[in-house]
Every structure is written in C-alpha cells, then in structure tokens.
Amino acid sequence: ELKVEQNPLFLSMQEGKNYTIYCNYSTTSDRLYWYRQDPGKSLESLFVLLSNGAVKQEGRLMASLDTKARLSTLHITAAVHDLSATYFCAVIIQGAQKLVFGQGTRLTINP
Amino acid sequence: KAGVTQTPRYLIKTRGQQVTLSCSPISGHRSVSWYQQTPGQGLQFLFEYFSETQRNKGNFPGRFSGRQFSNSRSEMNVSTLELGDSALYLCASSFALAGGQETQYFGPGTRLLVL
C-alpha cells in the first residue's frame, strides 16, 4: 500500500526566512504533485513533478523530486505572509487516477 | 475556462438520511474523482469515474456510491448517514485518457455536516 508522509506537519516561521517541507513516499510512482489549501478553501495545484531530478519553481516556491530516494521537497525562499496555507504532496498510484495524499503541512508565516 | 463546480456548497443532514452531491468537471475533462477530507483522516480517495464507468475505488463502505453521466457530470451518494461522514467532499477532474495521469483540478468542495 502506498503511503505518503510529510514533515513537518506544522511550521511557524518568520517572514524573510527559508524553509523546506519534506515528502516521502513508500513505493514507486509515476508522478508527484504539490497542492496548496487555504482555510475553508479547495486545493490549488502548484507543481507536477514527472521524473527523477525534476525541479520546478514558481515565485518563492521551488519543488524537487528524487525518485530513487522517494523524496520530494518544497522549498520556501524569503517567506512572505501570503504563503501561509496548508501544503499537501500527493503521489499517484501507477496506472490509475488515484491520488494518495500526505497529511499536509500547516505553514504559518508571521510578520 | 470555467473550473470544477460542486453543488451544494454546504449541507446539513441528520443521521440515517441520505445525501447526493453533484460535480461538474472542467469542459472537456472526462475523468472525475471524489475525495473526502476530514481533520482526523486527511484526504482520502473515494472513487474515480471515466466515461460513465467507475475505474478506481477507495476503501469506503458500500454506503458511498457514485455515478457519471454522458456529459461527464458526476454525482456521489451517501446513504444512511453517520456522524463520521461529516467532511469536506472534494471533486476533481482531469482530461485523463485511459490510464493517463494528468493533473487533477479540484472544485470548491461540499461541506457536509451530519447531526
């Protein structure tokens, strides 16, 4: 059974700092997704990582994938308050349209 | 392009009742998936429909069912509601050819409260 684990689950940081969220998964998968969720809202797609060594960047967020280590990271650079949200990684079951999500990382960025 | 829409947005039911939720995918998307989100269990996959056929199913009891229509719109039904069914139900759509794995785009969700 595919398991996806994120850490940390809660992260409180100051504006201007850098930090990394980690996502480990237990079995081989074709691709990995990062989503953002604001309180009371739905999931917003951030990144899709397709292959080993893939790196995607959007603004202050950068995601990378190491399929050999079954690890993805979401790096936040010079955090700003607007990035406060819960971030989920999700891995797709091979051959299916079934996403398995991590527990989510609740990120709070304080001014 | 309009996004995924879900109706109703909020729903209050009592134990033992049944409920039907509706999802309209992004135009051209043929795959619709449903997820349940709760504080305790997180986001869990319910089922996925493609071309009116259930292709994948999660580990939920038979009280949870769904269907998809020829226009790709989907409904999910929960019968004999239990308190634990209180959750945010999210629908996601993707273009997904058979076996394809494109990005799933999520709707705003239906928040169900069971009293």
Side-chain angles (χ1 to χ4, degrees):
Chain A
E1 181 188 348
L2 175 59
K3 292 188 188 300
V4 182
E5 292 189 350
Q6 289 181 235
N7 72 83
L9 300 184
F10 299 93
L11 179 55
S12 180
M13 54 193 290
Q14 287 185 314
E15 281 191 328
K17 300 290 188 183
N18 303 332
Y19 211 81
T20 301
I21 299 170
Y22 298 89
C23 173
N24 287 92
Y25 54 100
S26 60
T27 62
T28 302
S29 175
D30 289 348
R31 58 188 63 190
L32 186 140
Y33 300 84
W34 284 96
Y35 286 90
R36 167 181 171 152
Q37 186 176 40
D38 291 296
K41 304 287 187 178
S42 187
L43 297 170
E44 174 191 354
S45 176
L46 294 174
F47 301 109
V48 180
L49 301 169
L50 304 179
S51 59
N52 189 44
V55 176
K56 295 258 182 97
Q57 183 162 6
E58 180 74 33
R60 300 175 188 274
L61 300 177
M62 183 174 71
S64 65
L65 178 63
D66 181 344
T67 57
K68 293 179 183 176
R70 294 177 188 158
L71 171 69
S72 179
T73 60
L74 180 66
H75 187 73
I76 303 141
T77 302
V80 293
H81 178 69
D82 285 353
L83 291 178
S84 296
T86 299
Y87 292 86
F88 292 92
C89 65
V91 177
I92 203 151
I93 298 287
Q94 281 192 319
Q97 275 292 91
K98 174 182 175 179
L99 287 172
V100 178
F101 284 86
Q103 310 96 309
T105 297
R106 185 178 296 179
L107 174 63
T108 303
I109 299 169
N110 304 304
Chain B
K1 215 180 218 185
V4 179
T5 58
Q6 292 186 245
T7 56
R9 295 292 310 280
Y10 304 93
L11 208 46
I12 300 175
K13 292 286 188 179
T14 55
R15 279 180 297 175
Q17 287 187 309
Q18 75 166 21
V19 67
T20 299
L21 312 181
S22 181
C23 171
S24 292
I26 292 170
S27 178
H29 284 191
R30 297 168 64 189
S31 169
V32 174
S33 299
W34 289 89
Y35 295 83
Q36 181 197 64
Q37 186 176 27
T38 60
Q41 300 298 316
L43 279 152
Q44 294 185 287
F45 172 80
L46 281 155
F47 26 66
E48 184 238 352
Y49 286 86
F50 180 83
S51 292
E52 302 178 64
T53 301
Q54 186 181 87
R55 272 202 308 199
N56 297 286
K57 190 176 188 304
N59 297 324
F60 278 81
R63 299 186 297 108
F64 291 81
S65 63
R67 60 178 175 168
Q68 187 180 34
F69 302 94
S70 58
N71 61 358
S72 294
R73 190 177 70 84
S74 177
E75 289 181 347
M76 68 163 280
N77 183 275
V78 188
S79 62
T80 321
L81 284 166
E82 300 177 359
L83 296 179
D85 296 333
S86 295
L88 179 66
Y89 290 88
L90 292 164
C91 164
S93 78
S94 66
F95 185 71
L97 299 174
Q101 294 166 22
E102 292 84 355
T103 297
Q104 296 184 26
Y105 296 92
F106 284 81
T110 294
R111 190 166 294 278
L112 172 65
L113 177 61
V114 181
L115 301 175

